[in-house]
């Protein structure tokens, strides 16, 4: 437990201090950028409109496996370095701090709240367009605020809980494999004409690797809501269990429903993506007229959730070791 606990604590502290390491990755590409460039290289050469659906699926699957293999190889090098122990564990700490998005997510969501207060709706739309894919011009103040809160909820799992989960189970190899899968899904896992077949394997694989972390994230949020002020843990649990399945994603609904219940809001609902209107149901039965103050409440809930999230990996690792 000792080395794992030390790595987790130091990595989370380093992330809290440095965030996205702008002083470093303003000069050199971020590892996720490397992965993204590799995906784009494969996609440009293998995803041609002239290919049929089956062919594009096989080519997309090959792309997915090749990118994961490269990420696993890099993780294996870090794992080998860290296996020497002592100061060499700094490689683990730095990798985890870089690939977790705890402070970065907070800053991006907080930016929406600040922009709404300082620059009004136009500023809020500009800020939220940096973290969501929907058409910002279709959003009023409540829509901007709900979009920021939904992003905070969903990315708590993808950017914070899941990286820790896969690091605990698989070390740097598991962490790098997860980030590769998550990046693949974000780039080619879309249900549009270009990626429906090419990215299908990556999208389904992302659903699989996020299945357990998403539910852990939902539970952590509910616990945090019970601890926090002006949030309801009981309502978070009730709404999560009732409404999680309403989300089109098999995983994202757990976090969004927990946030909705905790904050007494209604999230999701109809959304505009370019020319496409997605008629999703609302999650939660609270207010729809969210504003900047609700974003700030969501960030307090997120901060408490992050603190609690630092504890469960040690318990999981101890249980895992006991089982095997």
């Amino acid at each position: 437990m000792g080395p794992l606990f030390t790595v987790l604590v130091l990595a989370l502290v380093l992330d809290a201090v440095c965030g996205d390491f702008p002083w470093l990755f303003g000069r050199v590409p971020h590892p996720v950028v490397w992965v993204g460039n590799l995906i784009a290289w494969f996609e440009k050469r293998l995803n041609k409109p002239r290919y049929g659906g089956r062919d594009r699926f096989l080519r997309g699957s090959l792309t997915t496996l090749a990118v994961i293999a490269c990420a696993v190889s890099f993780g294996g090098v870090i794992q080998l370095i860290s296996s020497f122990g002592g100061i060499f564990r700094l490689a683990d700490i730095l990798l985890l701090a870089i690939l977790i998005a705890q402070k970065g997510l907070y800053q991006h969501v907080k930016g929406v709240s600040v922009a709404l207060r300082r620059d009004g709706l136009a500023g809020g739309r500009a800020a939220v367009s940096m973290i969501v894919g929907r058409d910002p011009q279709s959003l009023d103040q409540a829509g901007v605020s709900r979009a920021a809160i939904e992003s905070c909820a969903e990315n708590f799992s993808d950017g914070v809980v899941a990286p820790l989960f896969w690091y605990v189970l698989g070390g740097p190899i598991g962490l790098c494999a997860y980030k590769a899968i998550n990046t693949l899904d974000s780039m080619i896992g879309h249900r549009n004409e270009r990626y429906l077949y090419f990215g299908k394997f990556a999208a389904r694989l992302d659903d699989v690797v996020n299945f357990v972390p998403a539910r852990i994230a939902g539970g952590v949020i509910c616990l945090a809501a019970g601890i926090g002020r002006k949030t309801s843990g009981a309502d978070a649990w009730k709404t999560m269990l009732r409404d999680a399945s309403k989300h089109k994603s098999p995983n994202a609904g757990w976090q969004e429903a927990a946030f909705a219940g905790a904050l007494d809001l209604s999230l999701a609902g109809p959304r505009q993506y370019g020319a496409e209107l997605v008629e999703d149901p609302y999650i939660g039965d609270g207010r729809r007229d969210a504003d900047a103050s609700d974003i700030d409440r969501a960030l307090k809930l997120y901060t408490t959730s992050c603190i609690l999230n630092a504890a469960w990996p040690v318990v999981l690792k101890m249980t895992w070791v006991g089982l095997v």
Side-chain angles (χ1 to χ4, degrees):
M1 182 182 73
L4 173 69
F5 182 77
T6 301
V7 169
L8 290 177
V9 169
L10 292 179
L12 291 173
V13 169
L14 187 58
D15 171 76
V17 173
C18 298
D20 292 332
F21 295 82
W23 49 270
L24 174 60
F25 297 118
R27 295 172 173 81
V28 298
H30 192 282
V32 172
V33 174
W34 298 347
V35 174
N37 290 339
L38 182 60
I39 295 168
W41 186 89
F42 276 106
E43 197 269 340
K44 182 178 180 180
R45 287 158 178 78
L46 299 181
N47 188 23
K48 303 291 186 181
R50 67 176 181 269
Y51 299 140
R54 180 185 175 120
D55 197 5
R56 292 171 90 171
F57 174 78
L58 291 174
R59 290 167 181 269
S61 300
L62 176 63
T63 295
T64 299
L65 294 174
V67 170
I68 294 172
C70 291
V72 165
S73 298
F74 178 77
V77 171
I78 300 298
Q79 196 152 314
L80 177 63
I81 293 172
S82 295
S83 67
F84 292 107
I87 194 173
F88 294 101
R89 288 193 181 275
L90 287 173
D92 262 33
I93 295 167
L94 184 60
L95 181 69
L96 185 56
I98 288 173
L99 294 184
I100 198 172
Q102 191 171 248
K103 183 177 181 179
L105 176 58
Y106 182 96
Q107 290 174 323
H108 285 301
V109 176
K110 182 64 177 178
V112 180
S113 170
V114 171
L116 276 173
R117 287 193 168 95
R118 184 184 61 204
D119 303 319
L121 180 57
R125 285 172 171 171
V128 83
S129 70
M130 305 297 292
I131 57 174
V132 299
R134 67 197 70 175
D135 178 14
Q137 299 307 313
S138 68
L139 301 174
D140 56 12
Q141 177 179 271
V144 168
S145 300
R146 290 200 308 270
I149 294 169
E150 290 162 19
S151 180
C152 183
E154 182 173 351
N155 286 293
F156 173 62
S157 177
D158 291 358
V160 181
V161 177
L164 281 183
F165 178 85
W166 286 107
Y167 173 79
V168 169
L169 291 189
I173 291 175
L175 173 62
C176 289
Y178 171 76
K179 292 301 293 186
I181 294 168
N182 194 237
T183 306
L184 281 156
D185 179 63
S186 67
M187 290 186 65
I188 65 173
H190 307 292
R191 298 179 183 178
N192 56 27
E193 183 178 356
R194 180 174 178 178
Y195 295 119
L196 180 62
Y197 294 103
F198 188 81
K200 189 172 184 178
F201 180 68
R204 297 292 78 79
L205 189 58
D206 185 73
D207 288 342
V208 171
V209 299
N210 278 300
F211 185 87
V212 174
R215 285 146 183 82
I216 292 175
V220 169
I221 293 165
C222 292
L223 291 174
I227 295 172
R229 297 178 58 191
K230 299 182 180 180
T231 52
S232 171
D235 288 342
W237 282 107
K238 181 181 72 174
T239 305
M240 182 180 71
L241 296 176
R242 185 192 66 202
D243 291 353
S245 61
K246 291 182 179 180
H247 202 286
K248 64 181 179 181
S249 165
N251 298 320
W254 291 82
Q255 308 93 265
E256 287 195 23
F259 261 71
L263 301 170
D264 191 28
L265 295 172
S266 288
L267 300 177
R271 286 165 287 182
Q272 190 81 33
Y273 292 89
E276 180 185 5
L277 177 63
V278 179
E279 293 281 0
D280 285 341
Y282 281 98
I283 292 175
D285 49 15
R287 295 181 294 107
R288 297 179 187 177
D289 58 336
D291 57 24
S293 65
D294 291 304
I295 299 177
D296 292 338
R297 288 199 303 134
L299 286 171
K300 289 180 181 178
L301 177 61
Y302 168 75
T303 301
T304 306
S305 299
C306 287
I307 293 171
L308 292 177
N309 182 59
W312 69 261
V314 177
V315 176
L316 177 63
K317 187 69 173 181
M318 292 174 64
T319 304
W320 180 263
V321 171
L323 289 174
V324 298

